[in-house]
Amino acid sequence: MVDCISIFSGAGGLDAGAQQAGARIVAAIEIDHDSAETLRQNGIGLEQNVLEIDIRQVDFTQWRQQAPSILIGGPPCQPFSKNGYWVRNDNRLIADDPRNMLGQFLRAVSEMQPSGFLFENVDSILHPTNKSSLDGFLAVAEELGYTCTLFRANALDFGIPQRRRRVFVFGIRGKHAQLPDPRPTHTDPVDHKRNADLPHYEGVGRFILPFAGEAFREPQEDASAGTYFEELLNVPPGKNYIALSSLEHYSGRTFRSGGRFWNFLFKLHPEMPSITIAAQPGPWVGPFHWENRRLRVPEIAAIQTFPEGYRFFGSRRSVQRQIGNAVPTLLGRRMIEHLLNHLS
């Protein structure tokens, strides 16, 4: 079994995926109290070894060993710097910038020297204004002795019922050929010629229907007294506010296309994937349930493919943030399985 150190662990979506992939979480490092408690309540970390601490205070040499080991994590990457603020002209790390979370991931790699690592981040890290930061990260990782492979993932392709794009970097210690892309497990029903043998993308229905009963009701789910409830009632499942403009026999308020964010009043359809679960959604940001209510905690957790019964610590707002910021567990499992399959 491969030992795993998790950093920037959050609520443990990636950690739970690592465990499902067969890795042993030796330690999980997370500074946010609610998230750290969530990790503890779900047994993430060997012998409850969750370190609720600023990562800058951690000495990663304590986990340096000859046995196979991996480092996983998705560091906060704001603010991005066009020049890569943590990299000197000679591509060395800068350790004294308090915002330097990409640098802290690289410091962990340098001190721990794992057999491999998995770096996760938002898709916008590939935006032209941020790409140089990622390029700097890759340059330093390679200088540290790792062959890196960049993979842009859509969670839909791996059985998650959610449109969610993320960027992963696979790092393997030593000189190797770059890894092949992880093979998808699902395919787009509209354009499935390349993967005609795979099942189609998952709809949310089978994931969230188990939580439809009264036993799971939450006070926060009721939207009936809100500003846009009448509009929500008329949005068809699988659509957003734009659909109101083309409805027959509808005389209520409509909105100019492009005048709102596309997730405004978005309503789930049970046979279709969800849009991305947000960490801090506004009051009328979807996805809403097709029964015209806000989603319940076990429903958003299920869309993020957390294991059934996974417990979250903190206020309702904190729990939403934890779940929305997490890597979908099944996506984490697929990525870590791919990493483990290619460790020398």
Side-chain angles (χ1 to χ4, degrees), residues 238-261:
K239 303 291 184 179
N240 66 358
Y241 74 98
I242 297 174
L244 295 172
S245 299
S246 57
L247 293 179
E248 294 184 10
H249 312 300
Y250 172 71
S251 58
R253 180 166 38 180
T254 60
F255 307 88
R256 177 177 57 84
S257 178
R260 301 274 176 161
F261 287 113

Side-chain angles (χ1 to χ4, degrees), residues 220 223 228 260-261 263-266 275-288 294-295 316-317 320:
Q220 298 90 343
Y228 299 109
R260 301 274 176 161
F261 287 113
N263 50 13
F264 178 63
L265 298 181
F266 183 93
I275 61 173
T276 300
I277 298 298
Q280 296 178 305
W284 294 100
V285 167
F288 288 87
R294 298 184 178 92
L295 295 179
R316 181 62 174 78
R317 182 184 294 271
Q320 177 78 40

